[in-house]
Amino acid sequence: MPVIIVTGRGGAGKTTTTANLSVYFSQKEYRTLAIDGDLFLPNLGFHFALENVSYTLHSILKNPDVDPEWAIYKHEKTAVNVMPGSTRLQDVVGISPKRLREIVELMKYKFPVLFLDSPTGIPFDTLPTFEVADYQIIVVEVERSPIHSFEAMVENEINKLRMIGEEYGLKIGVVLNKVMESGDIIEHIVEEIEQNVGLPVIGIIPFDENVPESINVGIPILGYKPKSDAALAFYETGEILEEWVFRKIKKV
């Protein structure tokens, strides 16, 4: 069940969403793996306090002799299995994104739930992995898209990313993140996405000051402060995704 997490712009919360949905499924006792597929700007490891490790995804990409299992670390606080990327420039230079597809295909048979954190924008580096994925989640930060220009944002971000997922036959959902708008505005946005774009909104995550704190301590908010607003919303999103993947889709 590989799920690729994408977004049209940096700072929307793509990696935060990857981390917390991984925590949800791990808490539900699914064997879950989160892979940092943002090959040139990886930061999934920071969310799990895995900045300084011996082996990373980049180790596998650079050296085919490295066993992928060596680059998987079980996060003590959440039990999520994480394959972090390397932030060292020397590890990024000369890597082959094509091998990433092979790794995802291998790991999807070992982990019933697999999340891949993808690069911001059009995910050229992870496009080969779309061939072996099943789902795509588009993360949208509403706050930086005023309601009067929301239609333009839909056209420039959601539709372009949706077209990629549809090209590979993926099931696609949308998560609205860092929401501070009123209920009426969000309701209008959800209606626009679901009725006019034709994609289900599977999560509405409120802006929560506890989230940056959770990243700093290396424990995703769902494990760090499970009663916080964002954590409760991520939990609900996880429930919907679980229903969607393993049974049938439910809407927010």
Side-chain angles (χ1 to χ4, degrees):
M1 186 211 101
V3 180
I4 299 179
I5 313 289
V6 299
T7 189
R9 63 178 75 185
K14 166 183 57 69
T15 304
T16 299
T17 301
T18 302
N20 282 283
L21 290 179
S22 299
V23 171
Y24 171 85
F25 280 93
S26 180
Q27 289 178 345
K28 292 295 183 177
E29 299 185 349
Y30 293 92
R31 192 162 184 253
T32 303
L33 175 64
I35 299 178
D36 196 338
D38 194 344
L39 301 182
F40 294 95
L41 292 172
N43 61 11
L44 183 64
F46 294 114
H47 290 250
F48 292 96
L50 292 171
E51 301 93 342
N52 299 304
V53 294
S54 299
Y55 295 96
T56 66
L57 173 62
H58 290 76
S59 305
I60 308 167
L61 295 176
K62 290 179 76 76
N63 184 355
D65 294 329
V66 175
D67 187 336
E69 298 279 354
W70 296 356
I72 297 175
Y73 304 85
K74 192 167 187 176
H75 188 241
E76 181 180 351
K77 299 293 184 181
T78 63
V80 175
N81 295 282
V82 184
M83 183 181 286
S86 173
T87 57
R88 300 191 306 171
L89 180 60
Q90 60 266 40
D91 291 337
V92 173
V93 175
I95 58 172
S96 172
K98 292 182 180 179
R99 179 154 160 71
L100 180 59
R101 179 195 182 280
E102 300 172 10
I103 295 168
V104 172
E105 187 168 27
L106 174 65
M107 291 296 108
K108 80 174 187 177
Y109 295 110
K110 297 185 177 184
F111 294 89
V113 179
L114 186 156
F115 288 96
L116 180 69
D117 189 36
S118 194
T120 297
I122 304 300
F124 294 108
D125 297 332
T126 55
L127 277 182
T129 66
F130 280 66
E131 298 175 359
V132 294
D134 298 305
Y135 298 89
Q136 178 190 40
I137 295 177
I138 302 172
V139 179
V140 177
E141 183 185 351
V142 178
E143 213 52 42
R144 286 187 290 167
S145 299
I147 192 63
H148 63 269
S149 63
F150 182 73
E151 286 76 8
M153 185 274 287
V154 168
E155 183 64 31
N156 291 329
E157 293 185 41
I158 297 179
N159 278 338
K160 288 179 180 178
L161 293 170
R162 181 194 65 178
M163 288 174 61
I164 297 173
E166 289 178 343
E167 178 70 22
Y168 290 92
L170 306 189
K171 298 180 179 68
I172 308 168
V174 175
V175 169
L176 305 180
N177 192 38
K178 299 183 183 179
V179 171
M180 291 192 290
E181 301 283 4
S182 68
D184 290 343
I185 291 177
I186 293 302
E187 185 176 330
H188 172 75
I189 290 173
V190 170
E191 182 178 329
E192 173 74 19
I193 294 172
E194 294 193 334
Q195 295 187 10
N196 296 337
V197 180
L199 296 178
V201 175
I202 65 170
I204 300 173
I205 315 299
F207 177 83
D208 190 335
E209 293 181 351
N210 292 299
V211 172
E213 181 181 331
S214 73
I215 297 171
N216 288 336
V217 300
I219 307 173
I221 191 68
L222 194 49
Y224 181 62
K225 289 188 176 180
K227 300 300 183 183
S228 64
D229 291 342
L232 292 173
F234 274 122
Y235 188 90
E236 291 177 0
T237 303
E239 285 185 313
I240 293 170
L241 182 58
E242 184 182 14
E243 287 284 336
W244 190 22
V245 170
F246 293 104
R247 286 180 290 277
K248 62 181 180 179
I249 189 167
K250 294 193 305 185
K251 292 191 177 181
V252 176

